[in-house]
């Protein structure tokens, strides 16, 4: 009966295996019910009336119903096993996959050392000129740089380029594969 219930065309399955008598519910082959006896008009002779009861059927429903209950219990057990197995897989994946957190520290890349003279003209003590060019033309460049405080604006001319490594600057992290 269980096999027939699982088929797309239950009627054809029942017919192909001649299951109509053994699987009356599944094959929709239950005999029609017979009406319950009804009390009759009393005869002139003394008699007892017929018993009154519910309709009767000779369909083997209880056997098939028990089969179906067993199949449902089996399905419930299989579903529970699948659920537990899926939980185990999920737990395993969670322990294998890295947890999303703050990015790993990235080695800092030192900023390039920039040593250059200022270009163009600017004003010092009311006079506008290219002061780095002026300092280069002097006989004593160091004294000219000091007299006009040009060391930061004219680093190359005044021989004031930084010699130490500047503080590191964080670079853009590279994704780890």
């Amino acid at each position: 009966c269980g096999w027939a219930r699982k088929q797309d065309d239950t009627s054809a399955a029942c017919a192909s295996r001649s299951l109509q008598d053994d699987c009356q519910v599944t094959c929709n082959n239950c005999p029609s019910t017979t009406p319950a006896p009804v009390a009759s008009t009393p005869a002139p002779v003394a008699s007892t009336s017929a018993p009154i009861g519910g309709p009767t059927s000779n369909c083997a429903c209880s056997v098939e119903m028990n089969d179906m209950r067993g199949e449902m219990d089996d399905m419930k057990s299989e579903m529970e096993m699948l659920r537990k197995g899926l939980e185990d897989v999920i737990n395993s994946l969670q322990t294998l996959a890295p947890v999303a957190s703050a990015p790993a520290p990235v080695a800092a890349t030192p900023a390039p050392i920039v040593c250059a003279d200022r270009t163009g003209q600017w004003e010092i003590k009311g006079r506008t000129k290219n002061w780095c060019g002026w300092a280069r033309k002097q006989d004593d460049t160091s004294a000219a740089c000091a007299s006009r405080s040009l060391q930061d604006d004219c680093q190359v001319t005044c021989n004031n380029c930084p010699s130490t490594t500047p503080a590191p600057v964080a670079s853009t992290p590279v994704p780890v594969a």
Side-chain angles (χ1 to χ4, degrees):
C1 299
W3 172 83
R5 276 192 298 277
K6 294 175 187 175
Q7 303 308 305
D8 290 334
D9 187 352
T10 308
S11 299
C14 288
S16 71
R17 301 273 173 101
S18 302
L19 299 175
Q20 291 86 350
D21 291 335
D22 294 329
C23 305
Q24 293 176 334
V25 173
T26 300
C27 298
N28 199 21
N29 194 36
C30 290
S32 59
T33 57
T34 56
V38 180
S40 60
T41 307
V45 213
S47 69
T48 59
S49 56
I52 300 174
T56 60
S57 170
N58 60 358
C59 185
C61 294
S62 61
V63 173
E64 276 192 76
M65 290 300 287
N66 287 337
D67 288 348
M68 286 184 212
R69 283 189 188 105
E71 287 176 17
M72 285 179 16
D73 289 341
D74 291 346
M75 285 186 234
K76 285 178 187 175
S77 297
E78 288 176 24
M79 282 180 31
E80 184 62 23
M81 287 185 337
L82 288 171
R83 186 187 63 77
K84 287 180 181 178
L86 185 57
E87 283 177 1
D88 291 344
V89 168
I90 290 171
N91 289 335
S92 296
L93 289 174
Q94 287 174 341
T95 57
L96 292 176
V99 177
S101 62
V106 177
T109 304
I113 298 172
V114 177
C115 184
D117 283 349
R118 181 175 173 178
T119 59
Q121 297 181 354
W122 69 96
E123 183 180 327
I124 297 178
K125 296 183 183 182
R127 295 192 71 187
T128 303
K129 59 171 74 185
N130 180 332
W131 288 101
C132 295
W134 171 82
R136 270 192 302 276
K137 293 177 188 172
Q138 303 305 310
D139 290 333
D140 188 353
T141 306
S142 293
C145 289
S147 71
R148 301 289 194 265
S149 299
L150 298 174
Q151 292 85 356
D152 291 333
D153 288 320
C154 306
Q155 293 176 328
V156 174
T157 300
C158 298
N159 197 24
N160 192 34
C161 289
S163 59
T164 59
T165 305
V169 176
S171 64
T172 305
V174 177
V176 177

